[in-house]
Amino acid sequence: MKTKQVPVIITLMAGLITCILGFKMHMEAAQFVWTLVIILASFYVLGCIAKLVLDMNFKEESEEEATEEAGEESAAEETESEDIAEESTKESDT
């Protein structure tokens, strides 16, 4: 799973909500800027933590899927080699 954009998306959503609330509450510019900077920094850190958690959880699932796919591929290769062997014995019989 691609989780590279998770911190950015979380940060931008928090910034959007902060901007809407700041305009609605008629905040002063200096107070608004400091609030926005603090919110953006804190939510970026939270987004990075969320990304790490997602990466750890999906890494386990992708490893399980990789082993299942490897098992399916080896089974398919065995089936193909058996089919080729059967065809060659049929051709030699005729």
Side-chain angles (χ1 to χ4, degrees):
M1 178 178 181
K2 296 181 182 180
T3 58
K4 186 177 180 180
Q5 295 89 7
V6 170
V8 175
I9 292 170
I10 291 173
T11 304
L12 289 175
M13 289 176 60
L16 177 67
I17 293 169
T18 304
C19 288
I20 292 169
L21 290 175
F23 286 125
K24 194 169 188 170
M25 295 175 59
H26 302 290
M27 293 177 75
E28 293 181 20
Q31 181 185 6
F32 173 73
V33 170
W34 281 110
T35 304
L36 183 63
V37 168
I38 292 169
I39 294 290
L40 291 178
S42 60
F43 274 90
Y44 182 75
V45 171
L46 289 174
C48 290
I49 292 170
K51 178 187 178 303
L52 290 174
V53 169
L54 288 172
D55 285 341
M56 287 190 299
N57 288 333
F58 283 109
K59 182 179 179 184
E60 294 172 1
E61 286 184 15
S62 64
E63 288 175 357
E64 291 173 2
E65 290 175 3
T67 56
E68 289 175 3
E69 289 176 2
E72 291 174 1
E73 289 176 2
S74 63
E77 290 174 0
E78 290 175 5
T79 305
E80 288 177 10
S81 61
E82 290 174 0
D83 291 342
I84 293 171
E86 288 177 10
E87 289 177 8
S88 64
T89 55
K90 287 180 184 178
E91 289 177 4
S92 62
D93 289 341
T94 57

